[in-house]
Amino acid sequence: MNLTLKIWRQKSTNDQGKIVEYKVTDISEDMSFLEMIDVLNYDLVEKGDDPVTFDHDCREGICGMCSMFINGEAHGPNRGVTTCQLHMRSFKDGETIYIEPWRSAGFPVIKDLMVDRGAFDRIQQAGGFISVNTSGRTLDANAIPVPKEDADKSFDAATCIGCGACVATCPNGSAMLFVSAKVSQYALLPQGQVERKERVLNMVKKMDEEGFGNCSNIGACEVQCPKGISLENIARMNREYLMASIKPEN
Amino acid sequence: MALNSRIPEGPLDQKWTKYKNSVKLVNPANKRSIEVIVVGTGLAGASAAASLAEMGYKVKALCFQDSPRRAHSIAAQGGINAAKNYMNDGDSTFRLFYDTIKGGDYRSREGNVHRLAEVSTNIIDQCVAQGVPFARDYGGLLDNRSFGGTQVSRTFYAKGQTGQQLLLGAYSAMSRQVGKGNITLLNRHEMLDIVIVDGKARGIIARNMVTGEIERHSAHAVALCTGGYGNVFFLSTNAMGSNVTAAWRAHRRGALFANPCFTQIHPTCIPVSGDHQSKLTLMSESLRNDGRIWVPKFKEDAEAIRAKKLRPVDLAEDRRDYYLERRYPAFGNLVPRDIASRAAKERCDEGFGVNSTGEAVYLDFSAAIVRYGKAEANVKGLHNASEAEIVAMGKKVVESKYGNLFQMYEQIVAENPYETPMMIYPAVHYTMGGLWVDYELMTTIPGCYACGEANFSDHGANRLGASALMQGLADGYFVLPYTIGNYLADEIRTGAISTNTPEFEEAEKNVRNQLESFFTTNGTKPVDYFHKKLGKIMWNMCGMARNKPGLEQAIADIRQLREDFYKNVKVPGSTKGMNPELEKAARVADFIELGELMCIDALDRNESCGGHFREEYQTEEGEALRDDEKYMYVAAWEFTGNPSEPKLNKEDLVYENIKVSARSYK
């Protein structure tokens, strides 16, 4: 297939940036979207031009590094997949494809399609953990049974890959889906109870400081999330936050 | 060089306990003034950084990704082994130890492997305490499944995303320490050299990949937790950024590189579809719990399938060859990876392959779907369930176990594996070789440690499934935090280490010179051109089967490729700012040197063992034929200044606790 690509090019964080048009030819349907960009970049390097910078690593949909806004949708037209899992068979010969970076106040562009998601790390550092030091002498792993349903729900929340598609998709640039997934994972497990209140308060505080917007129940994040993280988590986080805010510590 | 593995004296099961009781300690006040650099933030790096920081050391952690959570441990699928014996199926520390040594075809160290088996149970306790949501049964207790090369169920898992959950657990522990200020996190930083002062590792040179700045970082010890080197083959299940550079630069500065030719080719990966392919995708070994591997019994059927005139689901049961069950009845589809890979290659080489390239076999879930469906029907009391209802229920169970893997497969291949068998073929997955380390995980550079896949010590010539996660976390949580104290106890008087010394100066200049050299050539070909060429040489001549003439040819080809690379590589831009092509160029330069060493090592080892299969050395039935008399040693290679002339050092392997015998899974 032959395609026209309209790609956001931006030299650095403070550069203005603009859409630049490229043509790629002889693209196979079996290629992944990123392999199609590889072909473009190979040609650009051969010509002595600057190749398109983008984040990617595992290329199997789990590391959360790839992050392209394709034809106005985070990770492109398919549901439940990351950009690296999107294949060219989802496009038509002759099509024009717009490719942009995640856009959000919380994610400054570093170069071209690559953004800085350090804010997610900082939110995690504010409380996304259970305070247990390495010792290997905590309780035996089977000492506290966890009902299967809770364990499964906790797991579902924990499968968030931290790619930021939720933020990029949200008209408010909200990170609520990401933060609530982490809060839910721990809130659903007995191990997470001790720091339950502090955790949600600290993580939400950090999230606000980092410049992410609020949730107004649009639900686009859930639709575009490559891992199907449920809005239920946001509802749970709101409850957790409310409980933590109104109940005195003692 | 005399190699001392420093295995403690005494009975096998007392070595680690004795070591811990007598190891030197650093008091808490002194820890605060001692710095440790941890390079890499996968399971080994993240767990080491978190644990060392909890203990009170000042830690700097580097990763080349945009966040520690991206490290490729995240992609590990199937599970993590531990000798908990929760299933009451006869498991024990000794059995895990024994299975690991045997699975590694008797080329790993008894002392290290037994320690690994001992701490395996602590890992599960630690991870559960951290909130890692492992799979549980209806009683709320932890569930287990089976992996290759064992006859017990000792693998803990979280669907097909165990690596993700374990890494996020270690990342959360690390994040807690970053929040407290005990770890300084350097994302998008790549180590490009190690700095040695008075014979000791005293820091590193790193490149800030966003600004392009070359930075000096000093420390009292450096831990390399930088993963494996499977990307030397270009196509592998590794992440695009996985590389050998940190380990290789340490090798060039004096760290010996052990058993580089021991690479693991994983039997169940999605087959290569074309030249455009940038990486290969694993389908977890856990699938072999429930999937049956087969090819057609008759060539005409294989041909009809390849020509798409026959659908695999329409092929009668008696016209299928379940070759693993046929050849290895005791272990069946759960033979170790090296054996399963070679068996697939053998069938495909004979003309029984099932995709258009002839390089694929089937992994079939139809029997499991019916089996699970019937069990569900019984549980629900539906004794008159129709076949369709049973299949529907069975698919649900299979989805709950492997849903994400089936979805991944469908994305890539555009076929529904619930309806038609998966097509799979072996691919490069893991490297057992790595930096030589002693019992304390220290390389031959004092103060430089290697943990996880980056070292060589535990898996011998073949790693068993679900043991990589175990080893990474064992090293980082439970081994290095103890052993590093033995070295650092002598560093309490050293004080802060200046980066303003001739050694740092020299190392920085060395890095700058290399990076700048890429812009002085008038090359025409992008880095990937050379990387793909290297990959082809390695896969064809140093892959699943090797022989003397092939390896000699490979060495000659690689030497030529190296020359061509430095003359003709084209890197756009400059050393300033973000430049992914420059990063790739520096990595491929190291892969080319490593590739040659792998072939030299494979040529030197005139035997077959584990993943190293020399065609000249096989039994009449086509199984690997070891030569324990001559090759029961670790080949530890020393860099001499010329990548083509490495010096071989040998560490003899001594087995005092198990009888060395021919590995049989029949």
Side-chain angles (χ1 to χ4, degrees), chain B residues 350-379:
Chain B
E350 290 298 314
F352 295 95
V354 294
N355 70 350
S356 54
T357 65
E359 290 193 333
V361 300
Y362 286 127
L363 179 62
D364 195 334
F365 295 88
S366 53
I369 286 172
V370 172
R371 176 162 48 87
Y372 283 126
K374 280 185 182 157
E376 277 294 288
N378 286 338
V379 169

Side-chain angles (χ1 to χ4, degrees), chain B residues 259-571:
Chain B
N259 298 336
C261 81
F262 287 172
T263 46
Q264 175 160 82
I265 317 276
H266 195 295
T268 54
C269 300
I270 299 177
V272 178
S273 70
D275 281 339
H276 56 265
Q277 206 144 357
S278 59
K279 79 151 268 156
L280 298 172
T281 302
L282 175 73
M283 288 286 106
S284 167
E285 176 160 315
S286 61
L287 295 171
R288 287 198 272 144
N289 271 279
D290 287 316
R292 298 178 71 197
I293 293 177
W294 63 275
V295 292
K297 197 182 273 179
F298 303 103
K299 274 197 189 148
E300 65 260 31
D301 290 339
E303 278 155 20
I305 284 174
R306 285 201 290 270
K308 297 208 190 309
K309 285 181 195 149
L310 178 65
R311 297 189 319 154
V313 288
D314 296 332
L315 191 66
E317 197 63 21
D318 61 352
R319 295 179 74 84
R320 300 177 179 192
D321 176 16
Y322 295 91
Y323 58 88
L324 288 176
E325 297 170 29
R326 168 171 59 79
R327 286 178 65 179
Y328 308 100
F331 282 70
N333 292 295
L334 283 174
V335 290
R337 292 176 176 174
D338 53 333
I339 290 174
S341 289
R342 275 201 293 281
K345 181 180 189 304
E346 187 273 337
R347 284 292 82 190
C348 292
D349 287 352
E350 290 298 314
F352 295 95
V354 294
N355 70 350
S356 54
T357 65
E359 290 193 333
V361 300
Y362 286 127
L363 179 62
D364 195 334
F365 295 88
S366 53
I369 286 172
V370 172
R371 176 162 48 87
Y372 283 126
K374 280 185 182 157
E376 277 294 288
N378 286 338
V379 169
K380 290 180 177 157
L382 305 169
H383 299 297
N384 299 319
S386 69
E387 204 171 309
E389 283 168 337
I390 287 175
V391 167
M393 283 186 277
K395 280 181 187 167
K396 276 225 165 104
V397 177
V398 168
E399 189 189 348
S400 74
K401 285 175 177 277
Y402 313 112
N404 69 315
L405 302 171
F406 277 51
Q407 186 235 22
M408 258 160 75
Y409 182 87
E410 193 169 356
Q411 280 304 322
I412 294 169
V413 184
E415 278 186 4
N416 180 350
Y418 293 100
E419 306 292 340
T420 183
M422 280 185 184
M423 284 184 290
I424 51 154
Y425 197 68
V428 175
H429 180 54
Y430 185 89
T431 51
M432 283 73 70
L435 292 175
W436 186 90
V437 291
D438 62 17
Y439 190 72
E440 298 188 313
L441 304 183
M442 201 197 286
T443 66
T444 45
I445 300 173
C448 174
Y449 293 80
C451 304
E453 192 179 350
N455 73 28
F456 87 102
S457 70
D458 293 355
H459 305 297
N462 172 58
R463 178 175 65 74
L464 290 182
S467 285
L469 303 187
M470 172 172 69
Q471 187 223 337
L473 288 181
D475 286 359
Y477 280 136
F478 299 116
V479 180
L480 184 71
Y482 280 97
T483 60
I484 203 169
N486 208 28
Y487 174 79
L488 292 175
D490 294 331
E491 294 290 334
I492 55 174
R493 289 172 200 84
T494 307
I497 294 163
S498 168
T499 56
N500 211 352
T501 61
E503 291 87 354
F504 273 94
E505 185 90 15
E506 185 270 333
E508 182 183 324
K509 211 173 144 208
N510 176 40
V511 167
R512 282 186 191 282
N513 286 348
Q514 191 220 13
L515 295 179
E516 276 155 19
S517 74
F518 292 121
F519 300 99
T520 56
T521 57
N522 273 328
T524 52
K525 297 190 182 88
V527 178
D528 278 357
Y529 168 85
F530 299 96
H531 196 177
K532 283 185 182 182
K533 266 194 142 174
L534 175 66
K536 280 226 167 85
I537 298 171
M538 296 301 293
W539 179 246
N540 289 336
M541 292 182 272
C542 197
M544 259 190 289
R546 301 142 180 202
N547 60 50
K548 187 164 183 276
L551 289 165
E552 283 167 351
Q553 185 62 47
I555 291 168
D557 291 353
I558 292 171
R559 283 178 192 163
Q560 199 166 3
L561 184 70
R562 189 168 72 222
E563 213 169 290
D564 191 22
F565 173 75
Y566 284 108
K567 255 191 229 151
N568 292 316
V569 69
K570 179 165 191 165
V571 180

Side-chain angles (χ1 to χ4, degrees), chain B residues 19 40 68 167 172 197 207 350 402 460 495 543 547 630 659:
Chain B
Y19 175 88
L167 183 63
S172 73
V197 182
R207 181 169 182 271
E350 290 298 314
Y402 313 112
N547 60 50
K630 288 200 194 118
K659 197 169 148 265

Side-chain angles (χ1 to χ4, degrees), chain B residues 82-306:
Chain B
K84 280 279 194 189
N85 194 28
Y86 282 163
M87 297 292 126
N88 193 26
D89 54 6
D91 200 10
S92 65
T93 301
F94 186 84
R95 276 199 199 268
L96 175 52
F97 155 76
Y98 178 82
D99 286 346
T100 306
I101 296 265
K102 177 185 171 192
D105 217 355
Y106 306 93
R107 290 293 176 266
S108 49
R109 264 193 214 139
E110 276 193 343
N112 288 51
V113 175
H114 198 273
R115 175 178 65 191
L116 176 66
E118 283 175 56
V119 302
S120 68
T121 55
N122 301 118
I123 297 171
I124 304 303
D125 296 345
Q126 181 68 24
C127 293
V128 167
Q130 275 173 353
V132 171
F134 283 118
R136 288 172 185 269
D137 60 24
Y138 286 103
L141 301 181
L142 294 162
D143 196 16
N144 287 142
R145 57 187 175 201
S146 300
F147 261 62
T150 68
Q151 288 174 315
V152 296
S153 282
R154 63 162 72 98
T155 305
F156 294 79
Y157 67 98
K159 257 193 191 171
Q161 284 140 279
T162 318
Q164 179 195 28
Q165 295 310 316
L166 294 174
L167 183 63
L168 293 181
Y171 165 69
S172 73
M174 200 180 158
S175 295
R176 174 171 161 242
Q177 296 304 319
V178 177
K180 287 182 168 184
N182 298 334
I183 298 179
T184 306
L185 195 56
L186 297 169
N187 295 347
R188 296 197 196 272
H189 273 67
E190 183 163 39
M191 169 182 151
L192 292 176
D193 209 348
I194 191 161
V195 182
I196 297 175
V197 182
D198 296 333
K200 291 176 174 175
R202 288 300 194 198
I204 62 167
I205 305 295
R207 181 169 182 271
N208 178 328
M209 294 155 72
V210 176
T211 64
E213 267 166 81
I214 305 295
E215 301 171 352
R216 303 177 184 186
H217 298 278
S218 66
H220 297 82
V222 176
L224 303 179
C225 308
T226 49
Y229 48 87
N231 269 348
V232 68
F233 291 88
F234 186 74
L235 284 181
S236 80
T237 65
N238 286 190
M240 300 303 286
S242 303
N243 67 80
V244 77
T245 288
W248 193 255
R249 304 288 164 102
H251 173 59
R252 292 184 66 116
R253 293 274 182 191
L256 301 195
F257 209 103
N259 298 336
C261 81
F262 287 172
T263 46
Q264 175 160 82
I265 317 276
H266 195 295
T268 54
C269 300
I270 299 177
V272 178
S273 70
D275 281 339
H276 56 265
Q277 206 144 357
S278 59
K279 79 151 268 156
L280 298 172
T281 302
L282 175 73
M283 288 286 106
S284 167
E285 176 160 315
S286 61
L287 295 171
R288 287 198 272 144
N289 271 279
D290 287 316
R292 298 178 71 197
I293 293 177
W294 63 275
V295 292
K297 197 182 273 179
F298 303 103
K299 274 197 189 148
E300 65 260 31
D301 290 339
E303 278 155 20
I305 284 174
R306 285 201 290 270

